[in-house]
Amino acid sequence: MKIGIPRALLYYKNEKLWTKFFDELGIDYIISPETTKETIENGSKYAIDETCLPIKIFLGHIDYLKDKCDYIFLPRIERAQDRETCLNFRAQYDLVKNAFRDYNLNILFYNDMGHKEHKEEKAFKKLCKYLHIKKSIGKYAYKIAKQTQMYYEMFRSENQENILKSTKKPKVLILAHAYNIGDKYIGEPIIHMLEKLGVQPIIAEYFDHKKCVKESNKVTKTLPWSYNRHLVGALELYKDAVDGAVILTTYPCGPDSMCNDMMVRDYKDIPLITLTIDAQDGSAGLETRLESFTDILNYKRNNNNE
Ligand code: SF4
């Protein structure tokens, strides 16, 4: 049996958990390659016009995997840190079943609905039952996989904190979802552009999730989406430690349009720029805007040092 894992959406939040789990169980898997322009073109064929770019990318990855594995792995994750996730993460299964109805795809999933204790662990237990894996073996594989994911996140978070303290370069906090900043087509060009301009990118997504979501309560009581709360909390926590912030978003996104507007209105004391990536242009033309933005940061820095 071979499982196909799309390199898209929540893969960027659960990579270690998923791959270590299958490694421990000795289950073969394939991860679709990095996103390219072709991935987006292929995914767009299955999407309606209003679909957001990350979902078009996701469908492009499914298109790649559709005839290369026995099952496509598509968990439904309804909540994170006791908050809602975007509806698209709950709808992945149905979305794929409908868009690829001519291919009769087999989908492997677990449902993490987030409203009971040990929700994720229970969901993995059910997944193991479906795969006819002995309870104790499945439990051990999940434990090891969960630990691996946790250590990875801890390491990443500590690393960001260390860079923040030690670098002498101007620091820019990048506020972007995991699947945007982690994607080769969306996030990587922005990181490279900033580095070329002599700026140190600080990735909000890499900071401790619990801490950031908790901090977001100081800013808003009503924002429903966990992953957006993470970004708001990171901005609140690190606003005094960075020189500016880049809101990196994809078109069109309901949660981001509301949350980004709120951040721009609420954080007037920190230089903020919003960059929107769409399926047609990608990051083309953004270099000039980032150049002007870093000029402002450098000017502000020099003035403060005088
Ligand atoms: S949060 Fe926005 S970008 Fe992400 S899946 Fe939902 S609509 Fe798409």
Side-chain angles (χ1 to χ4, degrees), residues 9 51-55 85-89 177 179-180 225 227-228 249-257:
L9 299 180
T51 308
C52 66
L53 178 58
I55 293 291
T85 60
C86 167
L87 271 177
N88 279 324
F89 303 129
H177 291 300
Y179 43 88
N180 286 338
W225 306 285
Y227 301 149
N228 285 85
T249 185
T250 39
Y251 180 81
C253 172
D256 279 10
S257 61

PDB file of all heavy atoms in Angstrom, residues 9 51-55 85-89 177 179-180 225 227-228 249-257, ligand 1:
ATOM      1  N   LEU A   9      -1.437  22.951   2.082  1.00  0.00           N
ATOM      2  CA  LEU A   9      -2.283  23.233   3.250  1.00  0.00           C
ATOM      3  C   LEU A   9      -1.670  22.707   4.554  1.00  0.00           C
ATOM      4  O   LEU A   9      -0.566  23.078   4.903  1.00  0.00           O
ATOM      5  CB  LEU A   9      -3.688  22.665   3.018  1.00  0.00           C
ATOM      6  CG  LEU A   9      -4.448  23.243   1.816  1.00  0.00           C
ATOM      7  CD1 LEU A   9      -5.818  22.595   1.692  1.00  0.00           C
ATOM      8  CD2 LEU A   9      -4.592  24.753   1.855  1.00  0.00           C
ATOM      9  N   THR A  51     -12.133  30.350  -5.896  1.00  0.00           N
ATOM     10  CA  THR A  51     -11.310  29.530  -4.998  1.00  0.00           C
ATOM     11  C   THR A  51     -10.002  30.240  -4.648  1.00  0.00           C
ATOM     12  O   THR A  51      -9.360  30.834  -5.519  1.00  0.00           O
ATOM     13  CB  THR A  51     -10.974  28.183  -5.701  1.00  0.00           C
ATOM     14  OG1 THR A  51     -12.193  27.623  -6.156  1.00  0.00           O
ATOM     15  CG2 THR A  51     -10.286  27.219  -4.779  1.00  0.00           C
ATOM     16  N   CYS A  52      -9.585  30.137  -3.370  1.00  0.00           N
ATOM     17  CA  CYS A  52      -8.336  30.801  -2.967  1.00  0.00           C
ATOM     18  C   CYS A  52      -7.126  30.062  -3.561  1.00  0.00           C
ATOM     19  O   CYS A  52      -7.191  28.863  -3.856  1.00  0.00           O
ATOM     20  CB  CYS A  52      -8.237  30.853  -1.448  1.00  0.00           C
ATOM     21  SG  CYS A  52      -8.064  29.251  -0.669  1.00  0.00           S
ATOM     22  N   LEU A  53      -6.025  30.786  -3.674  1.00  0.00           N
ATOM     23  CA  LEU A  53      -4.819  30.211  -4.287  1.00  0.00           C
ATOM     24  C   LEU A  53      -4.323  28.937  -3.577  1.00  0.00           C
ATOM     25  O   LEU A  53      -3.990  27.952  -4.252  1.00  0.00           O
ATOM     26  CB  LEU A  53      -3.715  31.288  -4.349  1.00  0.00           C
ATOM     27  CG  LEU A  53      -2.372  30.853  -4.909  1.00  0.00           C
ATOM     28  CD1 LEU A  53      -2.484  30.297  -6.321  1.00  0.00           C
ATOM     29  CD2 LEU A  53      -1.388  32.026  -4.880  1.00  0.00           C
ATOM     30  N   PRO A  54      -4.270  28.900  -2.220  1.00  0.00           N
ATOM     31  CA  PRO A  54      -3.788  27.668  -1.582  1.00  0.00           C
ATOM     32  C   PRO A  54      -4.634  26.431  -1.927  1.00  0.00           C
ATOM     33  O   PRO A  54      -4.107  25.322  -1.997  1.00  0.00           O
ATOM     34  CB  PRO A  54      -3.879  27.992  -0.080  1.00  0.00           C
ATOM     35  CG  PRO A  54      -3.717  29.467  -0.015  1.00  0.00           C
ATOM     36  CD  PRO A  54      -4.438  29.989  -1.225  1.00  0.00           C
ATOM     37  N   ILE A  55      -5.925  26.621  -2.150  1.00  0.00           N
ATOM     38  CA  ILE A  55      -6.764  25.469  -2.524  1.00  0.00           C
ATOM     39  C   ILE A  55      -6.483  25.066  -3.974  1.00  0.00           C
ATOM     40  O   ILE A  55      -6.444  23.874  -4.298  1.00  0.00           O
ATOM     41  CB  ILE A  55      -8.278  25.786  -2.309  1.00  0.00           C
ATOM     42  CG1 ILE A  55      -8.570  25.956  -0.808  1.00  0.00           C
ATOM     43  CG2 ILE A  55      -9.170  24.694  -2.901  1.00  0.00           C
ATOM     44  CD1 ILE A  55      -8.464  24.696   0.039  1.00  0.00           C
ATOM     45  N   THR A  85     -10.897  26.329  12.593  1.00  0.00           N
ATOM     46  CA  THR A  85     -10.018  26.509  11.431  1.00  0.00           C
ATOM     47  C   THR A  85     -10.907  26.952  10.264  1.00  0.00           C
ATOM     48  O   THR A  85     -12.135  26.889  10.355  1.00  0.00           O
ATOM     49  CB  THR A  85      -9.293  25.202  11.056  1.00  0.00           C
ATOM     50  OG1 THR A  85     -10.276  24.223  10.748  1.00  0.00           O
ATOM     51  CG2 THR A  85      -8.414  24.689  12.175  1.00  0.00           C
ATOM     52  N   CYS A  86     -10.275  27.367   9.180  1.00  0.00           N
ATOM     53  CA  CYS A  86     -11.046  27.768   7.996  1.00  0.00           C
ATOM     54  C   CYS A  86     -11.868  26.572   7.497  1.00  0.00           C
ATOM     55  O   CYS A  86     -11.424  25.427   7.575  1.00  0.00           O
ATOM     56  CB  CYS A  86     -10.062  28.224   6.922  1.00  0.00           C
ATOM     57  SG  CYS A  86     -10.787  28.411   5.307  1.00  0.00           S
ATOM     58  N   LEU A  87     -13.045  26.852   6.995  1.00  0.00           N
ATOM     59  CA  LEU A  87     -13.950  25.793   6.517  1.00  0.00           C
ATOM     60  C   LEU A  87     -13.301  24.881   5.480  1.00  0.00           C
ATOM     61  O   LEU A  87     -13.652  23.710   5.369  1.00  0.00           O
ATOM     62  CB  LEU A  87     -15.183  26.442   5.881  1.00  0.00           C
ATOM     63  CG  LEU A  87     -16.362  26.736   6.818  1.00  0.00           C
ATOM     64  CD1 LEU A  87     -17.455  27.441   6.061  1.00  0.00           C
ATOM     65  CD2 LEU A  87     -16.881  25.447   7.443  1.00  0.00           C
ATOM     66  N   ASN A  88     -12.370  25.430   4.727  1.00  0.00           N
ATOM     67  CA  ASN A  88     -11.725  24.631   3.672  1.00  0.00           C
ATOM     68  C   ASN A  88     -11.021  23.396   4.225  1.00  0.00           C
ATOM     69  O   ASN A  88     -10.902  22.390   3.537  1.00  0.00           O
ATOM     70  CB  ASN A  88     -10.704  25.481   2.909  1.00  0.00           C
ATOM     71  CG  ASN A  88     -11.379  26.341   1.869  1.00  0.00           C
ATOM     72  OD1 ASN A  88     -12.356  25.929   1.253  1.00  0.00           O
ATOM     73  ND2 ASN A  88     -10.866  27.542   1.673  1.00  0.00           N
ATOM     74  N   PHE A  89     -10.534  23.476   5.481  1.00  0.00           N
ATOM     75  CA  PHE A  89      -9.834  22.320   6.038  1.00  0.00           C
ATOM     76  C   PHE A  89     -10.792  21.215   6.445  1.00  0.00           C
ATOM     77  O   PHE A  89     -10.411  20.070   6.595  1.00  0.00           O
ATOM     78  CB  PHE A  89      -8.962  22.736   7.240  1.00  0.00           C
ATOM     79  CG  PHE A  89      -7.977  23.799   6.892  1.00  0.00           C
ATOM     80  CD1 PHE A  89      -7.867  24.944   7.650  1.00  0.00           C
ATOM     81  CD2 PHE A  89      -7.177  23.668   5.774  1.00  0.00           C
ATOM     82  CE1 PHE A  89      -6.973  25.938   7.311  1.00  0.00           C
ATOM     83  CE2 PHE A  89      -6.277  24.651   5.418  1.00  0.00           C
ATOM     84  CZ  PHE A  89      -6.174  25.787   6.189  1.00  0.00           C
ATOM     85  N   HIS A 177       0.253  32.450   6.681  1.00  0.00           N
ATOM     86  CA  HIS A 177      -0.123  31.085   7.070  1.00  0.00           C
ATOM     87  C   HIS A 177       0.995  30.104   6.727  1.00  0.00           C
ATOM     88  O   HIS A 177       1.766  30.337   5.782  1.00  0.00           O
ATOM     89  CB  HIS A 177      -1.399  30.659   6.344  1.00  0.00           C
ATOM     90  CG  HIS A 177      -2.610  31.414   6.799  1.00  0.00           C
ATOM     91  ND1 HIS A 177      -3.039  31.389   8.103  1.00  0.00           N
ATOM     92  CD2 HIS A 177      -3.467  32.211   6.126  1.00  0.00           C
ATOM     93  CE1 HIS A 177      -4.113  32.146   8.222  1.00  0.00           C
ATOM     94  NE2 HIS A 177      -4.399  32.665   7.042  1.00  0.00           N
ATOM     95  N   TYR A 179       1.038  27.343   5.168  1.00  0.00           N
ATOM     96  CA  TYR A 179       1.048  26.836   3.788  1.00  0.00           C
ATOM     97  C   TYR A 179       1.373  27.936   2.788  1.00  0.00           C
ATOM     98  O   TYR A 179       1.558  27.653   1.605  1.00  0.00           O
ATOM     99  CB  TYR A 179      -0.297  26.176   3.437  1.00  0.00           C
ATOM    100  CG  TYR A 179      -1.499  26.953   3.908  1.00  0.00           C
ATOM    101  CD1 TYR A 179      -2.070  27.943   3.129  1.00  0.00           C
ATOM    102  CD2 TYR A 179      -2.034  26.709   5.165  1.00  0.00           C
ATOM    103  CE1 TYR A 179      -3.152  28.672   3.579  1.00  0.00           C
ATOM    104  CE2 TYR A 179      -3.121  27.437   5.628  1.00  0.00           C
ATOM    105  CZ  TYR A 179      -3.669  28.404   4.838  1.00  0.00           C
ATOM    106  OH  TYR A 179      -4.743  29.140   5.294  1.00  0.00           O
ATOM    107  N   ASN A 180       1.422  29.175   3.221  1.00  0.00           N
ATOM    108  CA  ASN A 180       1.881  30.248   2.333  1.00  0.00           C
ATOM    109  C   ASN A 180       3.378  30.475   2.501  1.00  0.00           C
ATOM    110  O   ASN A 180       4.116  30.486   1.529  1.00  0.00           O
ATOM    111  CB  ASN A 180       1.107  31.538   2.604  1.00  0.00           C
ATOM    112  CG  ASN A 180      -0.309  31.464   2.049  1.00  0.00           C
ATOM    113  OD1 ASN A 180      -0.586  30.675   1.148  1.00  0.00           O
ATOM    114  ND2 ASN A 180      -1.224  32.261   2.573  1.00  0.00           N
ATOM    115  N   TRP A 225     -10.844  32.403  13.883  1.00  0.00           N
ATOM    116  CA  TRP A 225      -9.936  31.416  13.275  1.00  0.00           C
ATOM    117  C   TRP A 225      -8.599  31.305  13.997  1.00  0.00           C
ATOM    118  O   TRP A 225      -7.865  32.286  14.135  1.00  0.00           O
ATOM    119  CB  TRP A 225      -9.696  31.767  11.810  1.00  0.00           C
ATOM    120  CG  TRP A 225     -10.980  31.913  11.066  1.00  0.00           C
ATOM    121  CD1 TRP A 225     -11.803  30.902  10.658  1.00  0.00           C
ATOM    122  CD2 TRP A 225     -11.601  33.143  10.678  1.00  0.00           C
ATOM    123  NE1 TRP A 225     -12.913  31.432  10.045  1.00  0.00           N
ATOM    124  CE2 TRP A 225     -12.809  32.796  10.034  1.00  0.00           C
ATOM    125  CE3 TRP A 225     -11.272  34.480  10.809  1.00  0.00           C
ATOM    126  CZ2 TRP A 225     -13.672  33.758   9.527  1.00  0.00           C
ATOM    127  CZ3 TRP A 225     -12.133  35.441  10.306  1.00  0.00           C
ATOM    128  CH2 TRP A 225     -13.305  35.064   9.675  1.00  0.00           C
ATOM    129  N   TYR A 227      -5.675  29.922  13.158  1.00  0.00           N
ATOM    130  CA  TYR A 227      -4.421  30.226  12.462  1.00  0.00           C
ATOM    131  C   TYR A 227      -4.239  31.735  12.267  1.00  0.00           C
ATOM    132  O   TYR A 227      -3.119  32.228  12.262  1.00  0.00           O
ATOM    133  CB  TYR A 227      -4.342  29.479  11.124  1.00  0.00           C
ATOM    134  CG  TYR A 227      -4.435  27.963  11.282  1.00  0.00           C
ATOM    135  CD1 TYR A 227      -5.002  27.152  10.308  1.00  0.00           C
ATOM    136  CD2 TYR A 227      -3.953  27.332  12.429  1.00  0.00           C
ATOM    137  CE1 TYR A 227      -5.093  25.775  10.467  1.00  0.00           C
ATOM    138  CE2 TYR A 227      -4.041  25.971  12.601  1.00  0.00           C
ATOM    139  CZ  TYR A 227      -4.611  25.191  11.621  1.00  0.00           C
ATOM    140  OH  TYR A 227      -4.699  23.840  11.789  1.00  0.00           O
ATOM    141  N   ASN A 228      -5.337  32.468  12.128  1.00  0.00           N
ATOM    142  CA  ASN A 228      -5.226  33.928  12.055  1.00  0.00           C
ATOM    143  C   ASN A 228      -4.895  34.507  13.420  1.00  0.00           C
ATOM    144  O   ASN A 228      -4.136  35.468  13.536  1.00  0.00           O
ATOM    145  CB  ASN A 228      -6.518  34.539  11.519  1.00  0.00           C
ATOM    146  CG  ASN A 228      -6.652  34.317  10.029  1.00  0.00           C
ATOM    147  OD1 ASN A 228      -7.136  33.269   9.607  1.00  0.00           O
ATOM    148  ND2 ASN A 228      -6.190  35.264   9.234  1.00  0.00           N
ATOM    149  N   THR A 249      -0.304  37.496   2.065  1.00  0.00           N
ATOM    150  CA  THR A 249      -1.602  36.833   1.953  1.00  0.00           C
ATOM    151  C   THR A 249      -1.836  36.344   0.526  1.00  0.00           C
ATOM    152  O   THR A 249      -1.125  36.739  -0.396  1.00  0.00           O
ATOM    153  CB  THR A 249      -2.711  37.810   2.423  1.00  0.00           C
ATOM    154  OG1 THR A 249      -3.954  37.139   2.437  1.00  0.00           O
ATOM    155  CG2 THR A 249      -2.834  39.020   1.512  1.00  0.00           C
ATOM    156  N   THR A 250      -2.823  35.471   0.386  1.00  0.00           N
ATOM    157  CA  THR A 250      -3.144  34.943  -0.948  1.00  0.00           C
ATOM    158  C   THR A 250      -4.573  35.306  -1.300  1.00  0.00           C
ATOM    159  O   THR A 250      -5.423  35.431  -0.431  1.00  0.00           O
ATOM    160  CB  THR A 250      -2.974  33.410  -0.962  1.00  0.00           C
ATOM    161  OG1 THR A 250      -3.451  32.884   0.265  1.00  0.00           O
ATOM    162  CG2 THR A 250      -1.546  33.001  -1.177  1.00  0.00           C
ATOM    163  N   TYR A 251      -4.802  35.435  -2.579  1.00  0.00           N
ATOM    164  CA  TYR A 251      -6.102  35.919  -3.062  1.00  0.00           C
ATOM    165  C   TYR A 251      -6.983  34.764  -3.533  1.00  0.00           C
ATOM    166  O   TYR A 251      -6.461  33.864  -4.205  1.00  0.00           O
ATOM    167  CB  TYR A 251      -5.870  36.896  -4.216  1.00  0.00           C
ATOM    168  CG  TYR A 251      -7.138  37.454  -4.785  1.00  0.00           C
ATOM    169  CD1 TYR A 251      -7.799  38.511  -4.170  1.00  0.00           C
ATOM    170  CD2 TYR A 251      -7.691  36.895  -5.940  1.00  0.00           C
ATOM    171  CE1 TYR A 251      -8.977  39.006  -4.698  1.00  0.00           C
ATOM    172  CE2 TYR A 251      -8.871  37.391  -6.461  1.00  0.00           C
ATOM    173  CZ  TYR A 251      -9.506  38.440  -5.839  1.00  0.00           C
ATOM    174  OH  TYR A 251     -10.680  38.919  -6.347  1.00  0.00           O
ATOM    175  N   PRO A 252      -8.261  34.782  -3.266  1.00  0.00           N
ATOM    176  CA  PRO A 252      -8.973  35.580  -2.281  1.00  0.00           C
ATOM    177  C   PRO A 252      -9.117  34.763  -0.994  1.00  0.00           C
ATOM    178  O   PRO A 252      -9.357  33.583  -1.047  1.00  0.00           O
ATOM    179  CB  PRO A 252     -10.350  35.751  -2.948  1.00  0.00           C
ATOM    180  CG  PRO A 252     -10.544  34.497  -3.761  1.00  0.00           C
ATOM    181  CD  PRO A 252      -9.182  33.948  -4.075  1.00  0.00           C
ATOM    182  N   CYS A 253      -8.970  35.404   0.143  1.00  0.00           N
ATOM    183  CA  CYS A 253      -9.084  34.687   1.423  1.00  0.00           C
ATOM    184  C   CYS A 253     -10.012  35.459   2.362  1.00  0.00           C
ATOM    185  O   CYS A 253      -9.701  36.581   2.748  1.00  0.00           O
ATOM    186  CB  CYS A 253      -7.699  34.526   2.052  1.00  0.00           C
ATOM    187  SG  CYS A 253      -7.777  33.867   3.721  1.00  0.00           S
ATOM    188  N   GLY A 254     -11.115  34.836   2.736  1.00  0.00           N
ATOM    189  CA  GLY A 254     -12.094  35.461   3.634  1.00  0.00           C
ATOM    190  C   GLY A 254     -11.490  35.803   4.983  1.00  0.00           C
ATOM    191  O   GLY A 254     -11.455  36.969   5.389  1.00  0.00           O
ATOM    192  N   PRO A 255     -10.959  34.778   5.735  1.00  0.00           N
ATOM    193  CA  PRO A 255     -10.389  35.068   7.055  1.00  0.00           C
ATOM    194  C   PRO A 255      -9.297  36.142   7.014  1.00  0.00           C
ATOM    195  O   PRO A 255      -9.261  37.039   7.839  1.00  0.00           O
ATOM    196  CB  PRO A 255      -9.826  33.714   7.495  1.00  0.00           C
ATOM    197  CG  PRO A 255     -10.683  32.716   6.802  1.00  0.00           C
ATOM    198  CD  PRO A 255     -11.023  33.321   5.472  1.00  0.00           C
ATOM    199  N   ASP A 256      -8.406  36.078   6.012  1.00  0.00           N
ATOM    200  CA  ASP A 256      -7.307  37.048   5.941  1.00  0.00           C
ATOM    201  C   ASP A 256      -7.826  38.456   5.662  1.00  0.00           C
ATOM    202  O   ASP A 256      -7.302  39.434   6.200  1.00  0.00           O
ATOM    203  CB  ASP A 256      -6.309  36.676   4.839  1.00  0.00           C
ATOM    204  CG  ASP A 256      -5.329  35.602   5.296  1.00  0.00           C
ATOM    205  OD1 ASP A 256      -5.555  35.040   6.375  1.00  0.00           O
ATOM    206  OD2 ASP A 256      -4.362  35.330   4.567  1.00  0.00           O
ATOM    207  N   SER A 257      -8.833  38.578   4.809  1.00  0.00           N
ATOM    208  CA  SER A 257      -9.282  39.927   4.451  1.00  0.00           C
ATOM    209  C   SER A 257      -9.786  40.647   5.708  1.00  0.00           C
ATOM    210  O   SER A 257      -9.552  41.842   5.881  1.00  0.00           O
ATOM    211  CB  SER A 257     -10.352  39.886   3.357  1.00  0.00           C
ATOM    212  OG  SER A 257     -11.453  39.176   3.812  1.00  0.00           O
TER     213      SER A 257
HETATM  214  S1  SF4 B   1      -7.728  30.599   5.345  1.00  0.00           S
HETATM  215 FE1  SF4 B   1      -7.921  31.669   3.381  1.00  0.00          FE
HETATM  216  S2  SF4 B   1      -6.178  30.984   2.165  1.00  0.00           S
HETATM  217 FE2  SF4 B   1      -6.439  29.534   3.853  1.00  0.00          FE
HETATM  218  S3  SF4 B   1      -7.704  27.906   3.016  1.00  0.00           S
HETATM  219 FE3  SF4 B   1      -9.071  29.372   4.035  1.00  0.00          FE
HETATM  220  S4  SF4 B   1      -9.742  30.781   2.417  1.00  0.00           S
HETATM  221 FE4  SF4 B   1      -7.938  29.664   1.659  1.00  0.00          FE
END
